[in-house]
Amino acid sequence: MAVVDAPTSRTGDRAPGFGRPSMGFIFWLSVTWILLVVLAAALADVVPLRDPDALGVRTGEIERFETPGKNAWFGGDGQGRDLFAQVIHGARPAMVLSAAVTSIGGSLGVLVGVVAGYFRGRTDSVIMGVAEIMFAFPAIILLFAVSAVWGMTMAILIPAMAILAVPGYARIVRGVTIALAERDFVDAARAMGASRSRVVIKELLPLVALPAIAFGFLGFGLVIATEGALAFLGLGLEQRTWGSLIAGGQGLIREAPHLALIPATAMFLTIMAFNYVGDGIRELIDPRPIVVGRKRKADGHDPAISAASDALLSIRDLTTSFPTAGGTVTAVDGVSLDVRTGRSVGIVGESGSGKTMLLRSITGAFPVLGVQRTGRVVVDGTDLLTASPAQRSTMLGTEIGIVSQNPLTALNPVRTVGSQLIEVMRVHREISKAAARARAIESLAQVGIPQPDQRVDMYPHQLSGGMRQRVTIALALANEPRLLLADEPTTALDVTIQDQILRLLSALCEQRDMALVLVTHDLQVVRGWTDDVAVMYGGQIVEAGPTAAVFDDPQHQYTQALLASTPRLDLRPHSRLAAIEGQPPSLVAPPPGCRFAARCTIADDRCRAEDPMPVQIRDREFRCWYPGTGKVT
Amino acid sequence: MSAVARLTVRLVVVALAVSFASFSLLSAAPGDPAAAKAGFSATPERVAEIRSELGLDDPFLVRYGDWLAGVVQGNFGTSVLNQQPASKLIGDAMPHTVELMILAQIIALGVAIPAGVYSAQRPNGWFDRLAGAVSFGMLATPPFVLGIYLAFVFAVRLDWLPAVATDLPGLLEDPVENLRQMILPALTLASGMVAIYVRLLRTDLIETLQQDFVLMAQSRGYSRRRVLWRHAFRPSAFSLLTATGLTTAGLLGGALIAETLFAVPGVGRLAVTAIFTEDYDVVMGVVLLLSVAFVVTNFVVDALYTVLDPRVRHGSR
Ligand code: SF4
């Protein structure tokens, strides 16, 4: 998909202030809580606490079922034992168990994961197969059985839980390893003669440590919860744990609810804290973009515009931008364009020139989040950017038809062709189901689909690519629009079918007096099938005019370079056959001056400093300081 | 191989493997079922007698073979506790557990589908953040902790619902009372799944919403709601369906907890009691049943997937 060449977020690449994890207040609160619990576990014997086993009813210090208060902060149990002391002491087994299980299970899991991810092949499938089976089996039932049979001590619980933890770590680490193993430095280390196991240990292990630690925090919480569940079932550790306290208090939930609720809350907060910290660390590694976006609401009808221009589609100063991890990308930068009824306009440019985004900016359906549009997109007197949702929906459904780049993905895969055609008709006009179905079959025939009465009940994947593109055209035309937008409608198809589809499109436009906007990277398509052309570069239209005139006598240096080189613009920059040496400019922070300056053979200081003003001569328009054959000063 | 044949093979393999493993595990257990059966006051001679009656002196493989032969004839053994056939005990408990699990799935999907869909609609909007925080909390809450909170609030403080389901009537006999008693255990069981489903659906939908066919639907001027439900949700629903199959394992474990906490007379509680009382025929019966249920559920989910998703349906031709 040719959106823009935005810097994609890779592991570890972050721009300041963007996509930062929520390392805020709650994160540090969680860290503090974890430290407190660890301290409690470590120092339970040292700090001045009541003896958790002292019977308050005998010593007279705490009453039976005393409610929490000044005397005993967490209250007392059935024999007047101090619940606060019990909870503090209960922290120790939870911490010891979790630490042991997480470190043993975690390191084993990391090792297994790295091995599976690095060696791939059979090693990988065997390891992941076993892990899959372990995932499928309910862990708690397994532990329950183990503890029922062998009794429950740390010596049994730690290895049992550690083994159960291995697949989780292994899966995460394997994923990371696979991604890393394809990176250059691993290849380099290997090329320099490092043995495979050495590469694993020296190069990969340190890098997978962070994801594993993040997962470890989540695992920590899980171990605490699992021990609690076992204790709750009556099969916990022999020590006093939060789980056993909860289990003991649970039957007394009416008489003394604090006995179950307080340890339950301690456990809940601890698990929460571990999860939160784990998530925080994970987000450090894998930042998610922050999404911004606001919509405006206003009446889109602007009589001044419709009176001023006889164009069916009139775009003025359109700017489309969206946030990415690397900064705000301005994919369309101040574009103006008119399309009159019955004309066909080709929009041509390299991948990343903004041509597809320009088209999407008309309909407002974007594959990225947080897109902002400014300017005006007026169709038949209605500004689509400010129109009410109802107005916009009517305009889109009845005035505009759109044909997408890739017919293989443009149709809903789980609904029949017919149901999608019937839907588009019934949403936008009053028509019975039966009539719509008849129309659907008819329209399939119109776009040249044989046996339309059978094809109508088929799913998209049952049709060939060419057939599917015909279906999307039928969909676009279902409500007889006056403007047809086509985004590289033939790129995904093979050559013989390309020509058929273009022929069909242009014939339909002629029959119905439709205006056509055809986005393409193929100059031959533009030359063969359009009346006018607009050349895009770096988010701007750099040259526009009647197709024949532009092709005969190109003004902008970019257009000239395009026409002089191979007609294939879809090749990657820097590839031997690429149209023009160099790369298109960054759309995050475009260079000052002419956007083409870096690749232009006659660029000078003025080009690099000042943005060329758009020049209009009759029906031609371009923005270049030295148009035509170059400098004539 | 036909689907039914494949299912049968898988069932037999899994059931054999699981039952053999559990049988070995139980044989290694330190307790003595004969002593348990004979009771406290029994003489050593009496215990020995019972032991040979039960065939406990036979070698391990012979005992497993005997048990297997019994199962094939529909005889799952007898409970040492009350002399009832294990199959009857399990049969009585089964409907409650099935009801609990179905109820929990219904609650989980009923909450998670709207929540996930609305979250995905505006990622990082207020609803999404709220749903994210809530599901984060739900994932961090062990089921028994949640169960205790629920019991405290709804049964003790508000006194709306019973805290235990000990005298649970059948769903058909007295649906109102049955649901009143089942709702808290079902909620307990559902909460973890809600969190999983919300996250899954949200991620999946956000991705689907950026797919070409959804953008195309949007470009045709369809309302937000139509795009969401008629176009984006359907493909995402298939991932959800797969997830419901995968959560079954967790659900079985959760049922153990929920049934114990709320005293639901289901299979989970039966198993817990049986393990404590060394009632091994019952334990084996439950284990066998669970493994069969597990395989069957996953098979049904697979089958549903094939029937519902046209891509799979036609692709397999
Ligand atoms: S303005 Fe200058 S750099 Fe830009 S295309 Fe024209 S001559 Fe080249």
Side-chain angles (χ1 to χ4, degrees), chain B residues 26 36 47 49 53 76 81 102 113 156 175 187 196 243 269 271 288 297:
Chain B
L26 290 178
V47 173
E49 211 173 285
E53 251 172 52
F76 288 77
L81 272 194
I102 291 177
I113 290 177
V156 177
L187 275 175
I196 295 174
R269 205 165 79 111
L288 192 64
T297 319

Side-chain angles (χ1 to χ4, degrees), chain A residues 1 135-138 140-142 144-146 148-150 224-225 227-230 232-235 243 246 250 253-254 257 260-261 264-268 271-272 275-277 279 282 288-291 295 360 363-369 392-394 396-398 400 402-407 409-415 420 423-425 427-428 459 461-462 472 475-476, chain B residues 18 25-26 28-30 120-124 133 136-142 144-145 148-149 151-152 155-157 159 161-163 199 202 206 209-224 226 230-232 234-235 238 246 248-250 252-254 256-258 260-262 271-273 275-276 280 290-291 294 308-315 317:
Chain A
M1 189 180 304
F135 270 124
F137 210 79
I140 183 82
I141 293 183
L142 211 69
F144 182 68
V146 167
V149 171
W150 283 301
I224 298 175
E227 190 280 324
L230 286 174
F232 178 78
L233 292 173
L235 285 165
I246 299 170
Q250 180 238 341
I253 191 96
R254 271 177 206 284
L261 292 183
T265 309
M267 180 182 278
F268 167 68
I271 297 173
M272 194 80 157
N275 284 10
Y276 201 88
V277 172
D279 255 26
R282 197 165 56 186
R288 262 173 283 167
I290 292 169
V291 176
K295 49 172 186 170
R360 290 189 193 278
T363 61
F366 298 100
V368 285
L369 294 168
R392 191 167 47 224
S393 146
T394 312
L396 287 175
T398 59
I400 302 175
I402 182 156
V403 180
S404 136
Q405 198 167 28
N406 186 352
T409 56
L411 295 166
N412 190 325
V414 298
R415 292 178 54 189
Q420 300 185 48
E423 178 182 30
V424 71
M425 286 183 247
V427 166
H428 292 294
Y459 288 92
H461 62 87
Q462 293 170 288
T472 67
L475 270 166
Chain B
V18 172
L25 203 65
L26 290 178
Q121 216 179 342
R122 288 201 196 291
N124 284 3
F136 186 86
M138 279 172 153
L139 276 182
T141 319
F144 62 98
V145 169
I148 284 171
Y149 285 141
F152 178 67
V156 177
R157 271 296 149 86
D159 205 14
L161 297 164
R199 288 184 165 201
R202 176 187 181 275
I206 288 180
L209 280 173
Q210 295 175 10
Q211 274 181 15
D212 212 16
F213 68 89
V214 174
L215 296 177
M216 290 297 283
Q218 233 171 305
S219 312
R220 275 177 218 131
Y222 294 166
S223 68
R224 193 177 203 103
R226 174 174 289 273
R230 299 294 301 272
H231 290 268
R234 273 201 30 202
F238 295 120
L246 291 175
T248 311
L252 291 170
L256 215 66
I257 309 268
T260 308
L261 181 59
F262 292 98
V272 174
T273 323
I275 282 195
F276 279 122
Y280 290 157
L290 290 186
S291 57
F294 185 70
L308 293 177
D309 191 333
R311 289 166 296 188
V312 181
R313 194 172 20 172
H314 299 292
R317 270 187 196 160

Side-chain angles (χ1 to χ4, degrees), chain B residues 158-189:
Chain B
L158 299 173
D159 205 14
W160 288 351
L161 297 164
V164 286
T166 25
D167 44 17
L168 185 70
L171 180 62
L172 298 177
E173 293 158 35
D174 185 352
V176 177
E177 183 54 31
N178 174 287
L179 287 179
R180 257 171 57 80
Q181 298 193 8
M182 284 299 241
I183 198 84
L184 288 183
L187 275 175
T188 306
L189 200 52

